[in-house]
Amino acid sequence: MRALALGLLAGVLWLQSRPELPSIFISFAGIFTSIGLIIGALIFLRSRTQYQAIVLLVAGCGVGIGWSALCAHERLNENLSAEYEGRDIRVIGMVEGLPDLGPAGERFRFRVEYASLPTGEKITVPTQVSLGWYADRSGELPVLISGQRWQLTVRLKRPHGHANPGGLDVEVWLLNEGLRATGYVQNKDYQLLGEQTSHPKIWIDRARAALREKILSALPDDPYAGVIVALVIGDQRAVNQNDWEIFNRTGVGHLISISGLHITMIAGLFALLSHSLWRHSFFTRAQFPLLCPAHKVAALAGLSAAFIYVALAGFGIPAQRTLLMIAVVTLSLWLNKIVAVSQVVLAALLVVLLSDPWSVVWPGFWLSFVAIACILYACAGRAEEVQQAAEPASWKTHLQSAGRTQWAVTLGLLPLSFAWFAQTSLISPLANALAIPLVSFVITPLSLLGSVLPSPLSVGLLSAAHTVTAWLTSGLAWLSSASFAVWAAPQPSWSEFALAIAGTVWVLAPRGWPLRWVGVLLWAPMVLAKATAPEQGFWITAFDIGQGNALLIETPNHRLIYDTGPAFSTESDGGSRVLLPYLRMRGIHHLDGLVISHSDTDHSGGARSLWEGVAVDWLSSSLLPDHPLLSNAPRHYPCHAGQHWVWDGVEFDMLHPQADHLQYTALPPNSRSCTLRIRFHDRTVLLTGDIEAPQERALVERARQKLKADVLLVPHHGSGTSSTDAFLGAVNPSVALFQVGYRNRYRHPKQEVVQRYSDRGILGLRTDQTGAVRVVVDETIRWTTYRCEHQRYWSSEPCLVKQ
């Protein structure tokens, strides 16, 4: 089974890294051929185990590729036609799952049964869509519950997400969830048609919603109510982002959900209770153990409890893995078979991969299974030592075993922590030693009891759970505030990662392995790596930030960000969602400067998140003195024409606005956009913010000789009020960067503006189509696009342009 499972994993992983899918015919052929190899290996190579393992490995790989491809074809077969994007569509269908409650409305999963245009023409849209329903001026919204059937008027768009290094791939997440369109509800002509309550999934969804409502009602204004909800039903969406930062810095984030540890604990408690009651025949004169052994009943009761708890968690990957392991153990007990722990893990791995081939693209999959593998590997041979001991294990032995297990998991997950998160928590062992017993044996039981018992008992128990959570979070916050709490480094290369894996295997080797400490040396290239930088000249990264501007400029020893993107919501912006994940992935924790071109939120929306996440030496902007951002900003200098500085031979010149612009407070923000020229030898990039035709004309008249550039950040995202012929003639770029949002409400860039650039032979790169763009400026100018460099079969945009 080991070779088959590893082959299946390799095949699934290979396919999820491909830009294209094999055809359906090839996928079926690969599966049937591989199954034939498996059968042949099991029958004819039974005595030749080495050859059998090789054949099973290859066959497993073939099954993994073919099965994953068929699953992908089935999901991708449902697509929204481009002609229906952004149009009013009348749909009839059913609410599914647990709606996400937000300050402005709700987002929910909707199963479409019928769709038509306002004219009555029937059309085909994806069966599963994600919809947002936002309050109108009245501020009222209907209460959405799983199973409700609605008639709605919606506007949809195809799956599309920001494409940036280090960021969440929303498109594969939507594919994984089976959501082939997203959109929002128009607040008109909606009607509740009825409810369906006969399906078990609806019962589960409604039970989860009722438990969430009960917890939030009992803890209406308490800051950690979201943590209690996460522990009871696995819904983490209400946990505050600041709290997540604390949990992640201390390495206890895995506990803030229905984790495998909690499921095992609940299953164990029910198993013990059932064993005791059955063994004593429920304290009657009946002889139940004669009908069925108590240990079998206990295993079945534990499995049933685990299934209910996992259902409440929404069947997440860690929860699935634990449930499958408990199921295999239960089955072995009922069949009177002895099953090795490794076989249990491999069986769980096979089922998870076959049921969800996209699980391999998420860190939870790797952290879950690698943690178990590390425990099995590091503790190999030690269980026998305990069993052979003459005396029963003491509390000291149990404590040592728990410490050894935690140590093995911490070290074993180190390479994965750097690969996925570019950091690891140094205080994780101490924080987990404190958090695991409190969360597992105090907070979680109190939360579960409080969520099912009637009031007023429930309120008291939930309040007690919240109080302990607040104490724990305060302690974790104190630990996370230490400067040494987290060790950060750039995301490792494949060679650095392979060395670190080898070092981990060496360090965790069983007792008797020579010089285990030498393995630590193999971690050095990964943990001591520094952020890469240009040897000469400069790099510019134009992010796929949505409708806004955000660029990173890097010289050999300095870094500057120009604009910070939009604010998406009260808890999310361009800084937190795009810039900080990228900087952390690169191992960048310090910026020499930040330029905010002007006050519009699509340029300044991520500023606060940015300087709260990384150190920023100074800020240059056209913000007026009373702007709220300046209240806690770094050292601030108003930008104005004539400012000049040199970093590593790269010249920076501010060309606009004029020095006296702050005296004219009535000027619109666009007109005072900081316009920056960056030059290395005779290669130039011009960043223009949102200047419009009057400012372009003034620049041509005042500084025409300084406008010539090879790369131009298109003014005002390509609006019809910018990119005049005279300005383009003075700049005369070869490449133009359009930073625009997919299907943005302003319809930028305007078609006539795009045509203006095309007529001049200027290559236009749109971030909504190319993803992030990296421009390298030294003796020449080169550029790459993220979507071309990391094309996947699920990508919404093909690789359109390539240098």
Side-chain angles (χ1 to χ4, degrees):
M1 181 184 287
R2 184 182 295 110
L4 185 63
L6 293 178
L8 185 71
L9 174 61
V12 172
L13 190 60
W14 181 85
L15 187 87
Q16 306 306 351
S17 66
R18 295 297 91 198
E20 295 180 352
L21 288 173
S23 67
I24 295 178
F25 173 78
I26 293 177
S27 301
F28 270 116
I31 290 176
F32 287 124
T33 301
S34 299
I35 291 175
L37 287 175
I38 293 171
I39 295 173
L42 294 177
I43 294 176
F44 301 110
L45 297 177
R46 183 176 302 177
S47 60
R48 308 182 72 175
T49 55
Q50 290 183 339
Y51 294 108
Q52 185 188 66
I54 294 173
V55 173
L56 289 177
L57 185 69
V58 173
C61 188
V63 171
I65 294 172
W67 176 251
S68 301
L70 290 178
C71 292
H73 277 295
E74 188 271 333
R75 291 279 173 91
L76 293 172
N77 188 48
E78 279 200 319
N79 278 322
L80 179 69
S81 175
E83 65 177 306
Y84 300 136
E85 283 192 296
R87 298 176 62 181
D88 282 357
I89 300 174
R90 186 169 296 167
V91 295
I92 295 174
M94 186 171 64
V95 176
E96 291 189 340
L98 193 65
D100 182 13
L101 308 177
E106 298 181 80
R107 179 155 287 278
F108 59 99
R109 179 190 289 264
F110 193 72
R111 176 179 287 275
V112 178
E113 301 168 358
Y114 178 85
S116 66
L117 297 176
T119 59
E121 177 189 353
K122 183 180 178 181
I123 63 173
T124 300
V125 301
T127 304
Q128 295 276 359
V129 299
S130 174
L131 296 176
W133 198 341
Y134 306 107
D136 56 15
R137 293 180 179 178
S138 67
E140 296 182 357
L141 280 177
V143 177
L144 298 177
I145 303 173
S146 180
Q148 290 178 334
R149 295 185 70 253
W150 284 89
Q151 176 180 289
L152 304 171
T153 301
V154 302
R155 288 189 177 181
L156 300 176
K157 65 178 181 179
R158 292 176 293 175
H160 193 283
H162 299 153
N164 297 288
L168 172 67
D169 190 336
V170 174
E171 293 167 16
V172 72
W173 181 84
L174 290 170
L175 181 68
N176 195 179
E177 293 292 315
L179 299 169
R180 300 307 302 146
T182 62
Y184 60 92
V185 178
Q186 297 274 68
N187 282 309
K188 61 180 181 180
D189 301 331
Y190 58 85
Q191 182 181 357
L192 179 62
L193 302 178
E195 296 187 10
Q196 180 179 335
T197 59
S198 59
H199 198 282
K201 187 177 184 304
I202 296 176
W203 302 343
I204 294 173
D205 291 338
R206 293 198 169 194
R208 298 182 74 206
L211 290 174
R212 180 175 68 176
E213 180 61 28
K214 184 174 185 178
I215 294 168
L216 295 178
S217 298
L219 308 170
D221 299 314
D222 294 326
Y224 303 109
V227 176
I228 306 300
V229 170
L231 292 173
V232 174
I233 64 171
D235 182 14
Q236 302 174 326
R237 293 173 292 189
V239 180
N240 187 277
Q241 289 301 314
N242 292 331
D243 294 331
W244 273 123
E245 184 70 19
I246 293 172
F247 299 145
N248 291 332
R249 283 180 62 85
T250 53
V252 302
H254 63 100
L255 297 174
I256 312 303
S257 64
I258 299 181
S259 68
L261 179 64
H262 302 155
I263 296 167
T264 305
M265 179 193 70
I266 295 299
L269 289 175
F270 273 83
L272 286 173
L273 178 62
S274 301
H275 186 276
S276 177
L277 292 174
W278 192 267
R279 184 167 170 266
H280 293 91
S281 299
F282 291 88
F283 300 99
T284 67
R285 294 185 178 181
Q287 299 294 319
F288 289 162
L290 297 179
L291 300 175
C292 183
H295 69 278
K296 291 187 176 182
V297 173
L300 195 60
L303 176 62
S304 301
F307 179 83
I308 293 172
Y309 198 25
V310 169
L312 291 177
F315 293 97
I317 291 297
Q320 284 184 38
R321 181 210 69 206
T322 305
L323 178 64
L324 290 169
M325 290 181 180
I326 294 173
V328 172
V329 171
T330 301
L331 182 63
S332 67
L333 285 174
W334 275 81
L335 296 177
N336 299 315
K337 300 287 186 180
I338 299 176
V339 180
V341 177
S342 60
Q343 291 179 313
V344 174
V345 176
L346 291 172
L349 176 64
L350 284 170
V351 175
V352 168
L353 290 174
L354 292 173
S355 61
D356 183 8
W358 296 279
S359 60
V360 297
V361 304
W362 307 115
F365 170 87
W366 296 99
L367 296 175
S368 297
F369 281 102
V370 172
I372 296 295
C374 289
I375 293 172
L376 295 177
Y377 176 68
C379 299
R382 288 173 179 147
E384 290 79 358
E385 295 174 12
V386 174
Q387 292 176 353
Q388 293 172 3
E391 299 180 0
S394 65
W395 66 269
K396 185 177 180 181
T397 302
H398 286 302
L399 189 61
Q400 289 176 342
S401 177
R404 188 161 50 232
T405 300
Q406 180 61 44
W407 182 250
V409 171
T410 300
L411 296 183
L413 296 182
L414 187 71
L416 283 177
S417 296
F418 280 102
W420 282 104
F421 313 115
Q423 65 179 28
T424 191
S425 175
L426 298 181
I427 58 173
S428 174
L430 176 60
N432 277 280
L434 172 68
I436 287 176
L438 279 178
V439 174
S440 300
F441 302 114
V442 180
I443 299 174
T444 299
L446 287 174
S447 300
L448 289 171
L449 289 173
S451 63
V452 298
L453 292 178
S455 184
L457 287 175
S458 61
V459 176
L461 290 171
L462 290 172
S463 297
H466 184 274
T467 300
V468 179
T469 302
W471 292 344
L472 174 62
T473 306
S474 297
L476 294 175
W478 179 78
L479 286 174
S480 70
S481 64
S483 58
F484 57 83
V486 170
W487 185 278
Q491 195 174 64
S493 64
W494 281 109
S495 58
E496 292 169 345
F497 183 69
L499 277 176
I501 290 291
T504 301
V505 171
W506 196 285
V507 168
L508 295 181
R511 186 179 300 173
W513 193 269
L515 301 174
R516 286 189 294 173
W517 59 270
V518 173
V520 176
L521 300 178
L522 298 181
W523 292 341
M526 178 181 70
V527 300
L528 299 179
K530 300 296 182 183
T532 55
E535 295 182 1
Q536 63 171 342
F538 61 98
W539 297 342
I540 287 188
T541 304
F543 296 98
D544 181 8
I545 200 86
Q547 184 64 18
N549 282 154
L551 303 96
L552 172 66
I553 300 96
E554 302 177 79
T555 71
N557 296 294
H558 297 85
R559 292 181 176 90
L560 177 144
I561 279 185
Y562 180 91
D563 280 341
T564 59
F568 302 116
S569 67
T570 56
E571 291 190 349
S572 177
D573 52 56
S576 61
R577 188 185 292 184
V578 176
L579 298 181
L580 287 178
Y582 176 80
L583 295 175
R584 288 169 180 163
M585 181 206 73
R586 291 277 314 282
I588 298 171
H589 305 285
H590 169 261
L591 294 173
D592 296 272
L594 168 64
V595 175
I596 297 178
S597 64
H598 62 293
S599 60
D600 284 359
T601 55
D602 58 332
H603 296 254
S604 63
R608 197 181 303 276
S609 295
L610 181 66
W611 63 58
E612 288 177 354
V614 296
V616 179
D617 286 350
W618 52 261
L619 166 67
S620 178
S621 77
S622 63
L623 302 177
L624 296 177
D626 60 349
H627 195 281
L629 274 178
L630 298 182
S631 60
N632 66 339
R635 188 169 71 253
H636 179 243
Y637 305 103
C639 69
H640 61 80
Q643 290 173 331
H644 172 82
W645 69 96
V646 179
W647 284 343
D648 306 315
V650 179
E651 300 180 64
F652 293 77
D653 290 282
M654 198 70 70
L655 304 184
H656 185 79
Q658 293 288 65
D660 59 352
H661 72 93
L662 291 178
Q663 299 177 17
Y664 304 98
T665 57
L667 287 174
N670 287 357
S671 66
R672 52 173 94 239
S673 292
C674 305
T675 301
L676 182 63
R677 184 184 78 156
I678 310 169
R679 183 178 180 84
F680 179 72
H681 295 170
D682 58 346
R683 304 294 180 182
T684 305
V685 174
L686 185 62
L687 309 180
T688 57
D690 276 358
I691 61 172
E692 298 182 309
Q695 292 76 49
E696 292 179 355
R697 185 166 53 251
L699 279 168
V700 171
E701 295 172 355
R702 188 178 69 243
R704 185 182 186 93
Q705 70 281 6
K706 294 183 179 180
L707 291 180
K708 176 67 179 76
D710 301 280
V711 179
L712 170 67
L713 176 64
V714 174
H716 202 184
H717 318 287
S719 76
T721 60
S722 302
S723 298
T724 59
D725 282 320
F727 182 74
L728 292 183
V731 179
N732 193 27
S734 57
V735 177
L737 302 176
F738 291 86
Q739 279 195 300
V740 292
Y742 178 70
R743 294 191 60 81
N744 64 85
R745 59 177 177 168
Y746 307 105
R747 300 187 178 181
H748 292 162
K750 298 297 185 181
Q751 184 56 43
E752 62 271 20
V753 173
V754 174
Q755 188 63 46
R756 200 175 299 156
Y757 281 85
S758 178
D759 290 344
R760 290 179 173 271
I762 303 169
L763 174 65
L765 300 177
R766 295 179 48 163
T767 54
D768 63 333
Q769 296 176 349
T770 65
V773 179
R774 163 69 71 84
V775 180
V776 177
V777 180
D778 42 37
E779 299 303 328
T780 61
I781 291 184
R782 304 176 302 282
W783 52 267
T784 58
T785 65
Y786 183 76
R787 285 196 185 274
C788 286
E789 294 291 310
H790 299 82
Q791 186 73 16
R792 297 293 183 266
Y793 67 82
W794 58 75
S795 297
S796 61
E797 300 288 346
C799 177
L800 297 174
V801 287
K802 203 169 186 178
Q803 191 172 35

